[in-house]
Amino acid sequence: MPRSWPEHFPAGCPPEESELATGRIYRFVSGEAPTHDDFVSLQLENPTNSYGRMACQACGLSVFRDWAVCLYSQKVVPALKKKKIAFGDLTPDHGAVMPTPSKMTERHHTWWLPDTVDAPEDLFIIAEDNG
């Protein structure tokens, strides 16, 4: 596991049970191409919020492992309806991933990026079939 995590990550984050980031993941993005703004964690967007027991998860990014789950989520989560789905193929150098089920979908994952990944948007492209 990468040992160089951003300073704003709380102790023990990412969790010990997370796995090295490998394989394809999907992320919702706002425009026609992924931008750096699409890969900013809740913690960095709102640094004064403590997030309580969700602090570690707030330092990561919401991702999915399954295309069909993305399409389903896009239909049932109003905030995702106008988003595009991008995908990237990760290697262990890209951090850690762990299932983090949510109210809306049990197949949600969180991806924690090490501080060595400067431009995660460069790892992703917009999927051609975007629902």
Side-chain angles (χ1 to χ4, degrees), residues 36-123:
H36 192 74
D37 289 347
D38 292 313
F39 295 86
V40 176
S41 69
L42 285 175
Q43 180 62 50
L44 289 177
E45 283 181 352
N46 304 292
T48 58
N49 192 332
S50 72
Y51 292 99
R53 64 181 187 81
M54 301 297 286
C56 180
Q57 191 170 335
C59 290
L61 299 173
S62 291
V63 295
F64 297 86
R65 289 280 194 184
D66 186 296
W67 174 253
V69 173
C70 289
L71 293 177
Y72 172 78
S73 297
Q74 201 169 38
K75 288 179 183 172
V76 300
V77 180
L80 300 179
K81 288 185 189 295
K82 293 184 179 180
K83 302 264 186 179
K84 298 286 186 185
I85 303 168
F87 69 89
D89 295 314
L90 304 183
T91 68
D93 290 338
H94 297 133
V97 177
M98 187 174 96
T100 50
S102 71
K103 258 192 287 189
M104 294 294 200
T105 176
E106 294 179 5
R107 310 238 346 245
H108 177 272
H109 287 68
T110 298
W111 172 34
W112 293 274
L113 287 79
D115 58 11
T116 54
V117 176
D118 293 326
E121 65 275 14
D122 292 345
L123 303 171

